Amino acid sequence: MSKRNAFYAQSGGVTATINTTACGVIETARKHQHRIGKVYAGRDGIIGALTEDLIDTSKEPAAAIRALRHTPGGAFGSCRYKLKGLDEHRAQYERLIEVFRAHDIGYFFYNGGNDSADTSYKVSQIAERLGYPLVCVGVPKTVDNDLAVTDCCPGFGSVAKYVATSIREASYDVASMARTSTRVFILEVMGRHAGWITAACGLAAEKEGDAPHVMLFPEIKFDEERFLARVDDTVRRRGYCTVGVSEGLRNAEGKFLSESGLRDAFGHAQLGGVAPLLASLVKDRLKQKYHWAVADYLQRSARHIASKTDVLQSYAVGKAAVELAIKGRSGVMPVIVRKSSKPYRWTVGVAELKDIANQEKMMPRDYITGDGFHITEKCRQYLEPLVQGEDYPPYRNGLPAYVKLRNAAVPKKLGTTFKI
Amino acid sequence: MSKRNAFYAQSGGVTATINTTACGVIETARKHQHRIGKVYAGRDGIIGALTEDLIDTSKEPAAAIRALRHTPGGAFGSCRYKLKGLDEHRAQYERLIEVFRAHDIGYFFYNGGNDSADTSYKVSQIAERLGYPLVCVGVPKTVDNDLAVTDCCPGFGSVAKYVATSIREASYDVASMARTSTRVFILEVMGRHAGWITAACGLAAEKEGDAPHVMLFPEIKFDEERFLARVDDTVRRRGYCTVGVSEGLRNAEGKFLSESGLRDAFGHAQLGGVAPLLASLVKDRLKQKYHWAVADYLQRSARHIASKTDVLQSYAVGKAAVELAIKGRSGVMPVIVRKSSKPYRWTVGVAELKDIANQEKMMPRDYITGDGFHITEKCRQYLEPLVQGEDYPPYRNGLPAYVKLRNAAVPKKLGTTFKI
């Protein structure tokens, strides 16, 4: 087979380790220069392909690519831009192929979640229909841990380690203050539909009575009275109560609590922030002093406390994607396969993109205790291996030294433009 | 001099390294057993002394005391309980001496901020008046970095490292998403009166254009139009804008923005959260997509990313406090003295408690740029040494392994009780 170029793009919300995967892709491609010419990255994700705004990663020195391994965010830019149905929006897909053809791109690596798996699958179909030889490989990434088939998602283990560590640390703080001050602490975490990140908070509670005492999952409808009763009881028994709550918590009508009508002084609806809402409840109904935190982007960018397991897996899927592509495997995605939990052993397997596209893996009900407020032992056994090990970034001037790439543009070859 | 017991208490909001200081106190006292008998800690701070609820630290094995060095929160409990004036509330002070006398306490170590320095000073005065021999030594601690005399405050360097790291990481995230999604990110940090923690966010911006682009200090009155103009300009020039804001931001009338009228759906005032308020402004006025985070207790308990400089200084003041006490120095506090900034050299000096009590060290105006939105080079030179070095805790099951002490009670000797 002849030597052709590769296209790599980051898609959707970024993670602390999506660049680790990019590092795996680029370093592995550089080792196979007889098959893969240059790796072009899409500036701001797939938009870069549509607008022929490509980044020439071959201009980056090896040390810069190596530094991607420990740099959070998306080094080439990402985007929230979903390619629609193949038939209604055929022009988008044809444009992709036009750009790929102009730059002799024979390999398409799309690093993202459910939507991206869907897009990769559609691109592989259109390429085949148009008779354009293109190997399409999806590369998994999402803090939400909701991709089908794979045992876990690259990016999730590091968020899990961050939230479990943070809620443990804050709980040590609250425990010391509870006599005269804060008795209830609420940490809001990500995961709009699936409670995986909320569940990870539960890892901090190793023994009966350990914090966090209460978790509120998006899978369990919020019941105000039961919640308040549980917090009240915990404060009475333990002196304080720590709560981990999903941003996606819903009320009995299925409506997000965070959208349930918080208004500022001017009457504007204030979006986001289920933690302050719950804190107000605790104050008004239980008369307890509270504190709340919203970790937001801090949790998914916290490379300084990445899970080593996650870093290794994030790199491994990037490497495997390139190796699959070289073997001509198209329409697939490397996935994490768990061989055993204790001791934890994993390997990289291969899944069909069509089995992953547009699926959403929710928490199994038996990962949540019967009362809906905590995780079960089964859940702990699943989660615990994913946060194992530390993988610290280098520091400079006391702060993590993250890389910013040059991101040199590939000269355009097409005279045409494409409107996003 | 005869051998007498020591009393140690933690006061006010805890930090990631107040236990490091406790470790310094207890380990040093254990090395001077010819002079110091047992170290009794107040359960929940000074309340433990008033209620004769003392913890016998001699029951803790050396390994547990050693583990305090890397454990956040207050291991013996802290409290927000300020002893009032000496004349109006003489009974409180007399009660302290009564308890100290009953347990042969000859050394009083009070680990806290401005209020605690004041209390230590008053206790030393009353002991002298009552003819009770007591060596009173204040031990500095506060994330707010607002103690007088000392160059910096134990506990601050670690918060500074946390907020600078966090805002850098989140900024890498926002930068990748800005093309189609979030363009403005706002991180709310602590420091109700002094902007030291907000200033520390600025350490993440090393070069022109680096994030964070805007900081809002409690020292600078909030000007909505100027703020929006700056954010708008930054988004135009850089593609995105990252903001660090103090929880203590005030409007032109001197009122906290966080108390300026946010109400929930039921009309209850919602306290706290200047970040969501600013985010609403950005959304309504600039029509930009935003994200916001409130770090709250996460920042002051983040022992996992403590500054090594801070850890060393926190231990050093504990050690020095005991050494001063043994020399009979009463009414003093060990402080950090900066010998030079580049290279950073520091030593422990001694200050009079009366020079520290009830003072509040604000940010000098020349630490903030003329436009009020960033830190100056002078500020950077002051702050940078304080975040140097990492001091990771040990991990177990993928999470930091923090110690919980037994906290065995000292048998009561007094028949009397004292109502708090």
Side-chain angles (χ1 to χ4, degrees):
Chain A
M1 271 173 83
S2 65
K3 175 168 166 169
R4 298 180 69 204
N5 297 318
F7 174 78
Y8 166 82
Q10 301 179 323
S11 175
V14 294
T15 76
T17 62
I18 185 171
N19 286 333
T20 311
T21 300
C23 177
V25 167
I26 297 168
E27 288 190 341
T28 309
R30 287 184 177 188
K31 282 181 190 149
H32 294 90
Q33 295 191 343
H34 57 296
R35 297 291 305 284
I36 298 180
K38 292 185 170 182
V39 177
Y40 295 145
R43 195 183 306 275
D44 301 317
I46 199 74
I47 288 177
L50 292 168
T51 58
E52 204 195 350
D53 193 354
L54 307 178
I55 291 164
D56 187 351
T57 70
S58 76
K59 305 285 190 200
E60 309 291 343
I65 297 301
R66 192 65 193 155
L68 285 180
R69 195 180 172 283
H70 64 251
T71 297
F76 309 107
S78 184
C79 65
R80 295 202 180 277
Y81 187 84
K82 186 168 155 63
L83 272 72
K84 309 269 171 52
L86 210 49
D87 298 314
E88 316 99 89
H89 291 81
R90 198 176 171 92
Q92 284 183 326
Y93 295 91
E94 287 177 351
R95 169 67 177 181
L96 277 185
I97 302 300
E98 182 191 13
V99 171
F100 290 171
R101 195 186 301 270
H103 294 275
D104 192 26
I105 287 164
Y107 305 96
F108 173 57
F109 299 106
Y110 204 31
N111 200 174
N114 299 306
D115 288 354
S116 314
D118 181 52
T119 300
S120 308
Y121 179 57
K122 284 178 180 151
V123 171
S124 73
Q125 288 180 297
I126 191 84
E128 207 173 309
R129 277 199 230 164
L130 294 175
Y132 179 76
L134 183 70
V135 175
C136 296
V137 179
V139 198
K141 164 244 67 169
T142 171
V143 294
D144 293 331
N145 202 42
D146 60 354
L147 285 175
V149 189
T150 188
D151 178 69
C152 61
C153 300
F156 169 69
S158 294
V159 182
K161 192 178 184 90
Y162 173 91
V163 299
T165 296
S166 296
I167 206 162
R168 170 174 288 179
E169 291 179 330
S171 298
Y172 268 72
D173 190 309
V174 180
S176 3
M177 304 304 297
R179 175 77 176 260
T180 55
S181 180
T182 304
R183 294 220 172 100
V184 179
F185 177 79
I186 302 168
L187 173 64
E188 175 175 332
V189 301
M190 288 180 155
R192 196 145 261 257
H193 302 292
W196 295 105
I197 301 178
T198 309
C201 292
L203 284 175
E206 291 179 355
K207 293 193 312 293
E208 170 73 18
D210 278 0
H213 310 95
V214 177
M215 273 158 290
L216 300 173
F217 301 92
E219 286 88 351
I220 308 284
K221 297 275 174 280
F222 180 62
D223 180 330
E224 186 172 315
E225 298 306 321
R226 285 190 63 244
F227 166 70
L228 289 168
R230 172 58 66 103
V231 171
D232 193 47
D233 179 63
T234 307
V235 171
R236 279 175 212 280
R237 292 167 59 197
R238 311 287 175 194
Y240 71 106
C241 179
T242 303
V243 179
V245 58
S246 162
E247 60 175 346
L249 187 65
R250 291 162 187 264
N251 63 19
E253 290 79 48
K255 208 174 158 187
F256 286 126
L257 252 73
S258 57
E259 288 171 0
S260 66
L262 206 63
R263 301 199 170 267
D264 68 16
F266 315 100
H268 303 137
Q270 193 208 338
L271 300 179
V274 61
L277 200 74
L278 294 178
S280 289
L281 259 183
V282 163
K283 173 177 164 275
D284 292 334
R285 297 283 307 278
L286 302 181
K287 316 289 176 205
Q288 293 291 4
K289 196 169 170 205
Y290 62 85
H291 263 250
W292 55 267
V294 175
D296 193 66
Y297 280 1
L298 269 49
Q299 70 201 283
R300 74 178 200 191
S301 62
R303 183 59 183 81
H304 74 271
I305 190 170
S307 151
K308 180 156 199 164
T309 301
D310 186 33
V311 170
L312 293 175
Q313 293 180 343
S314 297
Y315 189 92
V317 293
K319 177 170 179 279
V322 173
E323 291 167 349
L324 285 167
I326 286 171
K327 288 182 194 149
R329 297 288 301 271
S330 190
V332 297
M333 181 185 266
V335 291
I336 305 299
V337 178
R338 184 182 297 226
K339 310 275 254 185
S340 80
S341 286
K342 277 195 176 184
Y344 182 52
R345 291 189 304 113
W346 59 275
T347 186
V348 177
V350 187
E352 296 291 321
L353 280 172
K354 64 175 160 43
D355 296 336
I356 292 173
N358 296 319
Q359 302 292 317
E360 198 169 24
K361 188 172 73 180
M362 309 305 283
M363 289 254 293
R365 184 59 183 85
D366 67 355
Y367 275 28
I368 302 173
T369 52
D371 62 14
F373 289 132
H374 224 293
I375 57 170
T376 58
E377 188 52 35
K378 192 170 177 182
C379 183
R380 181 176 300 276
Q381 279 175 22
Y382 166 74
L383 290 173
E384 215 168 63
L386 309 182
V387 302
Q388 297 303 309
E390 293 70 57
D391 190 86
Y392 300 118
Y395 281 70
R396 192 176 55 227
N397 297 330
L399 301 181
Y402 297 137
V403 70
K404 276 186 188 164
L405 301 181
R406 298 178 200 172
N407 284 347
V410 177
K412 296 199 182 201
K413 297 195 171 179
L414 297 170
T416 51
T417 57
F418 189 86
K419 213 171 152 61
I420 293 298
Chain B
M1 272 173 81
S2 65
K3 175 168 166 170
R4 297 180 69 202
N5 297 319
F7 174 79
Y8 166 81
Q10 302 178 322
S11 175
V14 293
T15 77
T17 63
I18 186 172
N19 286 333
T20 311
T21 301
C23 176
V25 166
I26 297 168
E27 287 191 342
T28 309
R30 286 184 177 188
K31 283 182 188 148
H32 293 91
Q33 294 191 343
H34 56 296
R35 298 293 304 284
I36 297 179
K38 291 184 171 182
V39 177
Y40 295 145
R43 194 183 306 275
D44 302 315
I46 200 73
I47 289 178
L50 292 168
T51 57
E52 204 195 351
D53 192 355
L54 307 177
I55 291 165
D56 187 351
T57 71
S58 75
K59 305 284 190 200
E60 309 291 343
I65 297 301
R66 191 68 193 154
L68 285 180
R69 194 181 172 284
H70 65 252
T71 297
F76 310 107
S78 184
C79 64
R80 296 203 180 276
Y81 187 84
K82 186 169 155 63
L83 272 74
K84 311 268 170 55
L86 209 49
D87 298 316
E88 317 98 88
H89 292 80
R90 198 178 172 90
Q92 285 183 327
Y93 294 91
E94 287 176 349
R95 170 66 178 183
L96 277 184
I97 302 300
E98 183 190 12
V99 171
F100 289 171
R101 197 187 299 273
H103 293 275
D104 193 26
I105 287 164
Y107 306 96
F108 173 58
F109 299 106
Y110 203 33
N111 201 174
N114 299 306
D115 288 355
S116 314
D118 180 54
T119 300
S120 307
Y121 180 57
K122 284 178 180 151
V123 171
S124 74
Q125 288 180 297
I126 192 84
E128 207 173 310
R129 277 198 229 164
L130 295 174
Y132 179 76
L134 184 70
V135 176
C136 296
V137 179
V139 198
K141 164 243 69 166
T142 171
V143 294
D144 292 330
N145 202 41
D146 60 353
L147 285 175
V149 188
T150 188
D151 178 69
C152 61
C153 300
F156 170 69
S158 294
V159 182
K161 192 179 184 90
Y162 173 91
V163 299
T165 297
S166 296
I167 204 161
R168 171 173 289 179
E169 291 180 330
S171 297
Y172 268 72
D173 190 310
V174 180
S176 4
M177 304 304 296
R179 175 79 175 259
T180 55
S181 179
T182 304
R183 294 221 172 99
V184 179
F185 177 78
I186 302 168
L187 173 63
E188 175 175 332
V189 302
M190 288 180 155
R192 195 145 263 255
H193 302 293
W196 295 106
I197 301 177
T198 309
C201 291
L203 285 175
E206 291 180 354
K207 293 192 313 291
E208 170 72 19
D210 278 0
H213 310 96
V214 177
M215 273 157 291
L216 299 172
F217 301 93
E219 286 88 350
I220 308 284
K221 297 275 174 278
F222 180 62
D223 180 329
E224 187 172 316
E225 298 307 321
R226 285 189 63 244
F227 166 70
L228 289 168
R230 173 58 65 104
V231 171
D232 192 45
D233 179 63
T234 306
V235 171
R236 279 175 212 280
R237 291 167 59 198
R238 311 286 175 195
Y240 72 106
C241 180
T242 304
V243 179
V245 58
S246 162
E247 60 176 346
L249 187 66
R250 291 161 187 264
N251 63 19
E253 290 79 48
K255 209 174 158 188
F256 286 124
L257 253 73
S258 58
E259 288 172 1
S260 66
L262 206 64
R263 300 198 170 267
D264 68 16
F266 314 101
H268 303 136
Q270 193 209 339
L271 301 179
V274 60
L277 200 73
L278 294 178
S280 289
L281 260 183
V282 164
K283 172 176 165 275
D284 292 335
R285 297 281 308 277
L286 302 181
K287 317 289 176 203
Q288 295 290 5
K289 198 171 170 205
Y290 63 84
H291 263 250
W292 55 268
V294 175
D296 193 65
Y297 280 0
L298 268 49
Q299 70 200 284
R300 74 178 202 194
S301 62
R303 182 59 183 82
H304 74 271
I305 190 169
S307 152
K308 181 156 199 164
T309 300
D310 186 33
V311 169
L312 293 174
Q313 293 180 343
S314 297
Y315 190 91
V317 294
K319 177 169 178 280
V322 172
E323 291 168 349
L324 285 167
I326 285 171
K327 288 182 193 147
R329 298 288 301 272
S330 191
V332 296
M333 180 185 265
V335 291
I336 305 300
V337 178
R338 183 182 299 226
K339 309 275 252 184
S340 80
S341 286
K342 279 195 177 185
Y344 182 51
R345 291 188 303 114
W346 59 276
T347 185
V348 177
V350 187
E352 297 291 322
L353 281 173
K354 64 175 160 46
D355 296 336
I356 293 173
N358 296 320
Q359 303 292 318
E360 197 168 25
K361 189 171 72 179
M362 308 306 281
M363 289 254 291
R365 184 59 184 84
D366 68 354
Y367 275 28
I368 303 173
T369 52
D371 62 13
F373 289 132
H374 224 292
I375 58 170
T376 59
E377 189 52 35
K378 193 170 176 182
C379 182
R380 181 176 300 277
Q381 279 175 22
Y382 166 75
L383 289 173
E384 215 168 61
L386 309 182
V387 302
Q388 297 302 310
E390 293 69 57
D391 190 87
Y392 299 118
Y395 280 70
R396 192 176 54 228
N397 296 331
L399 301 181
Y402 297 136
V403 71
K404 277 187 187 163
L405 302 180
R406 297 177 200 172
N407 284 346
V410 177
K412 297 199 181 201
K413 295 195 171 179
L414 298 170
T416 51
T417 57
F418 188 85
K419 213 170 152 57
I420 294 298

